[in-house]
Amino acid sequence: MANRTDVRLELLTGDQALARRAELIDLYREVFTGPPWNEREAEVADFGVRFAADAALPGFRAVLAVGDAGPCGFGTAWPTASPLPQTRSYGKVLAALGPDGVSRLLAGALQVDELAVAPRARGRGLAGRILDLLCGGRRSWLLTSVHAPDAIRLYERLEWRRVGENGGIVVFVKPE
């Protein structure tokens, strides 16, 4: 990949993202089967199922980064449900922030669920560009693993604020 200007970003609705689902699953596999995530093929398949359900959520949006060699990054997000669902890592988020913190920091904010940049496209500011377009200046939040120091450094460098930690996850917020 030559440079950051060779990559175009596409903002996608849920239906548009579903039409590109195979590309997103391939990127997910490329990014998350390596360290520090080390996901197995069953977890990649789980992402494909989860992605189809997420794309149907009200307000779902995705950004797909495409370079000369094809897709090289993506992000997904949607408005935070209130109260938080009882699935995924939401219980850890609630434990990290408490009900008041969730209400104050996350209610009505855009939840960034996935951010993935292929190893071949890293180090060129692509993750920040994806997040900027995905969040569109809205108050947003995301979580990552305490075992992903590169991701933690990225969010801190992009001026996301670390607001809580529990059960192996770190919660970040980005003000409007």
Side-chain angles (χ1 to χ4, degrees):
M1 181 160 298
N3 63 49
R4 64 180 271 151
T5 59
D6 293 338
V7 177
R8 76 178 183 285
L9 300 181
E10 302 173 16
L11 182 60
L12 308 173
T13 64
D15 288 340
Q16 292 168 329
L18 280 174
R20 310 288 293 270
R21 183 174 170 212
E23 294 168 288
L24 295 172
I25 292 171
D26 286 345
L27 272 170
Y28 185 93
R29 178 181 292 109
E30 183 177 353
V31 171
F32 292 105
T33 56
W37 313 106
N38 301 311
E39 292 193 4
R40 299 175 310 262
E41 195 58 35
E43 292 162 312
V44 173
D46 288 346
F47 165 75
V49 172
R50 197 173 65 242
F51 176 76
D54 294 343
L57 292 169
F60 175 91
R61 56 195 291 146
V63 170
L64 180 62
V66 181
D68 294 339
C72 56
F74 76 93
T76 62
W78 56 82
T80 303
S82 182
L84 288 179
Q86 299 295 312
T87 58
R88 299 188 185 181
S89 295
Y90 292 116
K92 292 178 182 179
V93 171
L94 182 59
L97 301 179
D100 291 340
V102 167
S103 177
R104 185 173 40 84
L105 296 170
L106 308 186
L110 192 70
Q111 171 185 333
V112 176
D113 185 60
E114 297 290 349
L115 178 64
V117 175
R120 68 183 182 282
R122 292 182 185 155
R124 295 174 177 84
L126 187 54
R129 291 177 57 208
I130 291 170
L131 283 170
D132 286 347
L133 182 57
L134 188 63
C135 298
R138 289 181 59 183
R139 187 169 53 94
S140 304
W141 71 278
L142 56 79
L143 59 90
T144 193
S145 171
V146 296
H147 303 293
D150 290 344
I152 291 170
R153 280 191 297 276
L154 168 71
Y155 301 132
E156 289 172 342
R157 188 171 57 251
L158 295 174
E159 299 182 353
W160 287 67
R161 187 169 49 99
R162 188 179 192 151
V163 294
E165 186 174 321
N166 179 271
I169 59 113
V170 182
V171 182
F172 284 90
V173 296
K174 178 77 170 183
E176 297 176 81

